Amino acid sequence: MKIRHPWLVAIAAWCIAQIIRTWMRTIRFRYARQGPDYEPAALKPDERFIYAFWHEHILVPASRYARPDIWVLISKHADGQMISSACRQLGFQTVAGSSTRGGAEAVREMVSLGKVGHLAITPDGPRGPRREMQQGAAFLASKTGLPVIPFGVACSCAHRFGSWDRFMLPWPFSRVVLVTRQAVLVPENLDRDGIEIWRQNLEAELAEANRMAEEILAGKITADIPDRRAA
């Protein structure tokens, strides 16, 4: 149901943010990496990246890494207003737009914001197909010159909603593995064919990050990174 009154949206978003914070504090996180430590708190002030993760996993970075120097692209569709408000309550900055509504304006704004902060994008959103990357991430990386961090997620026990992305809600006290791959630097000012080539490259890197997260969670791959509980 769409909430029309702005003050009701603000109240509902605040409540959702508090529930998410409390819920996610029970989760045991494990961060594993291939390459440097790309967690936002570990970065130098002049380092900026584009974080790419599947739409179904947005709750994990939203609850764990929200900070005012990370800008998240949120859809203008019916549920986008609530998601955007909740993300702001958690501490993210948001940009409204998508590949279908407000897309060009949103991309221009993200390119500008990439000069001062990190960017976050769900490259299969807002309507899928699930885990199929659209060209937005490659285009944004080519325009900004910012490296892309493929961000994989796996959870030991989660509820899956019936939405197009099978949105993931980790159950309390479950284990979540986070994996970052080596940053991918996309060449600047690519043409349409170049964007498509790098779209495929980025999709493969993100798929590999998620595969690694699943295998670490299952114990098939070892990762000498200690467990970290949510702050």
Side-chain angles (χ1 to χ4, degrees), residues 2-16 81-86 88-89:
K2 186 176 180 180
I3 301 177
R4 297 184 181 277
H5 298 290
W7 63 273
L8 286 177
V9 171
I11 292 172
W14 183 87
C15 293
I16 290 170
Q81 185 181 16
M82 179 64 68
I83 295 172
S84 180
S85 296
R88 288 195 297 270
Q89 288 288 342

Side-chain angles (χ1 to χ4, degrees), residues 21-208:
R21 285 196 183 100
T22 302
W23 188 288
M24 298 301 283
R25 283 194 183 103
T26 71
I27 306 301
R28 176 174 293 176
F29 290 95
R30 189 175 193 182
Y31 171 55
R33 61 182 187 265
Q34 280 196 325
D37 188 342
Y38 291 123
E39 287 199 304
L43 301 176
K44 299 177 182 178
D46 60 342
E47 290 183 299
R48 298 188 308 281
F49 297 99
I50 298 172
Y51 290 89
F53 43 87
W54 295 133
H55 196 274
E56 67 201 74
H57 296 146
I58 192 172
L59 185 59
V60 172
S63 62
R64 183 166 173 81
Y65 296 119
R67 43 189 277 169
D69 62 344
I70 301 179
W71 295 82
V72 185
L73 183 63
I74 302 293
S75 168
K76 281 188 175 182
H77 290 96
D79 60 348
Q81 185 181 16
M82 179 64 68
I83 295 172
S84 180
S85 296
C87 284
R88 288 195 297 270
Q89 288 288 342
L90 287 167
F92 275 135
Q93 303 285 353
T94 63
V95 174
S98 71
S99 60
T100 55
R101 297 178 65 185
E105 180 182 350
V107 168
R108 286 194 295 268
E109 187 173 356
M110 291 287 275
V111 169
S112 178
L113 293 169
K115 299 175 183 178
V116 297
H118 303 284
L119 307 178
I121 186 170
T122 56
D124 58 341
R127 291 185 172 179
R130 178 177 182 251
R131 296 197 178 191
E132 290 187 20
M133 184 174 288
Q134 300 175 21
Q135 292 188 341
F139 180 83
L140 191 59
S142 181
K143 286 294 184 182
T144 61
L146 297 181
V148 179
I149 308 298
F151 188 97
V153 179
C155 182
S156 61
C157 188
H159 174 71
R160 291 284 185 172
F161 288 85
S163 55
W164 66 266
D165 61 348
R166 299 188 64 232
F167 187 85
M168 184 186 79
L169 175 64
W171 286 117
F173 308 105
S174 59
R175 292 178 297 120
V176 172
V177 173
L178 315 172
V179 170
T180 55
R181 298 273 289 169
Q182 183 73 39
V184 179
L185 186 60
V186 177
E188 296 185 21
N189 301 315
L190 291 174
D191 59 16
R192 186 182 297 272
D193 291 338
I195 291 293
E196 174 57 21
I197 290 171
W198 282 92
R199 182 202 68 79
Q200 295 176 25
N201 291 341
L202 291 173
E203 183 178 84
E205 287 292 318
L206 186 50
E208 179 64 11

